[in-house]
Amino acid sequence: MNAATTKTHDRADMSNVKITINKVGMDRPRAWLAAGFEDFRRATAISLTYGMFWVGLSIAITAGAVTLGYWYWLLPMIAGFMFVGPLVAVGSYGISRAIEHGRVPNLGDAFGSWRPHAGQLAMMGVMMMIFFLAWIRLATLLFALFFGFEVPNPATLYTSLLTTPEGLGMIAVGTVAGGILAFGAFAISSVAIPTLMDHDLTFMEGIEASVRCVASNFRPMLLWAVILTGCVLVGVMTFYIGLALILPVLGHASWHAYEDLVRIEPVEELKT
């Protein structure tokens, strides 16, 4: 039996809700990933369609940035994908929930599962966009500090990043600062969105549950964050193509992580 921490929330419009955070071991991230692969296997067509949608969108954004001359935004935008990744995975959560309920998933589960809780999910989207915009601002400031305000041509820039003290310094500082910012975003979102999709809670309660999960299971959640980051980087290095598989698998796995970590139960109010 896993150890757990609990907290009861007073709700004006329903019974009190007890949110229990389970403590898990270092073996659980691998189990979540295995469960994600199993969901992908059971709903391959729908999951792959959902993944290919995001691959197509990513390619379109990249092509648009290059065509319009904004190619220098591509690196910080790709690095900032981790800030919006939990939102991208919403459809995978819907597919996993359908499998769990014994239904055959369909496109509605992938592309419409957010609708019942659109308001709270939108607020989570605002929170994640704040982190994303903060990262873009930070990346802009770092570039100005190390390279000045003049944008070089693509060949010069990407060569300079790997062969000059300025480029290597920017990568080092950006990695540390971006990592701290990314872990903050992960802490508030690791289970928040599946929690909101599965229960009638506010986005602040979802964030609180997520932060408590990370605080109570710091080492397993840190490992999970590393796995997520590494898998997404592999997908990007395949010119996005690998993301067609990686994104839905990670989304399914994140749903199982939520189920492993969070238990929410109604608590009857005391009668007076």
Side-chain angles (χ1 to χ4, degrees):
M1 180 75 70
N2 289 329
T5 60
T6 64
K7 188 169 183 178
T8 300
H9 293 256
D10 291 328
R11 302 289 296 246
D13 57 344
M14 62 180 292
S15 299
N16 294 339
V17 173
K18 182 176 70 174
I19 300 179
T20 302
I21 305 300
N22 297 321
K23 291 185 179 295
V24 300
M26 292 294 289
D27 61 320
R28 297 312 297 162
R30 185 172 61 179
W32 301 335
L33 203 57
F37 273 110
E38 177 61 19
D39 279 2
F40 183 88
R41 186 192 66 80
R42 296 177 64 181
T44 303
I46 297 298
S47 295
L48 198 57
T49 298
Y50 187 72
M52 289 176 64
F53 167 80
W54 288 106
V55 168
L57 184 60
S58 299
I59 292 173
I61 292 173
T62 299
V66 172
T67 300
L68 295 174
Y70 294 110
W71 55 267
Y72 47 87
W73 285 109
L74 288 177
L75 194 58
M77 287 177 66
I78 291 171
F81 179 82
M82 296 303 299
F83 298 106
V84 296
L87 294 172
V88 171
V90 165
S92 297
Y93 303 152
I95 295 170
S96 289
R97 185 170 59 177
I99 293 173
E100 180 183 287
H101 290 172
R103 296 191 294 105
V104 177
N106 54 45
L107 289 176
D109 294 309
F111 293 97
S113 56
W114 53 270
R115 290 176 181 169
H117 305 286
Q120 298 305 317
L121 290 174
M123 293 303 298
M124 274 303 303
V126 171
M127 296 295 295
M128 302 313 294
M129 285 305 299
I130 289 173
F131 275 92
F132 180 75
L133 293 174
W135 161 248
I136 293 296
R137 174 59 64 181
L138 175 63
T140 302
L141 291 174
L142 287 176
F143 183 86
L145 285 173
F146 283 93
F147 286 98
F149 294 98
E150 183 177 350
V151 180
N153 62 62
T156 301
L157 175 61
Y158 292 121
T159 300
S160 298
L161 284 176
L162 300 175
T163 61
T164 66
E166 293 81 6
L168 294 173
M170 190 182 78
I171 290 175
V173 175
T175 299
V176 173
I180 294 172
L181 195 62
F183 190 77
F186 172 77
I188 72 167
S189 65
S190 57
V191 298
I193 295 177
T195 298
L196 296 179
M197 291 182 63
D198 207 28
H199 296 276
D200 184 23
L201 299 174
T202 67
F203 79 99
M204 287 303 298
E205 287 172 318
I207 289 175
E208 181 184 353
S210 186
V211 171
R212 289 172 59 204
C213 281
V214 173
S216 298
N217 300 279
F218 184 79
R219 291 179 61 205
M221 294 304 285
L222 181 61
L223 174 60
W224 184 231
V226 170
I227 291 173
L228 294 175
T229 302
C231 289
V232 170
L233 286 177
V234 169
V236 170
M237 290 172 64
T238 62
F239 299 98
Y240 307 127
I241 302 302
L243 292 177
L245 168 66
I246 290 171
L247 288 182
V249 168
L250 293 182
H252 299 321
S254 296
W255 175 264
H256 290 284
Y258 148 72
E259 290 195 313
D260 205 10
L261 290 163
V262 182
R263 185 169 72 252
I264 301 177
E265 302 168 301
V267 178
E268 292 297 329
E269 296 186 56
L270 296 176
K271 303 297 183 180
T272 58

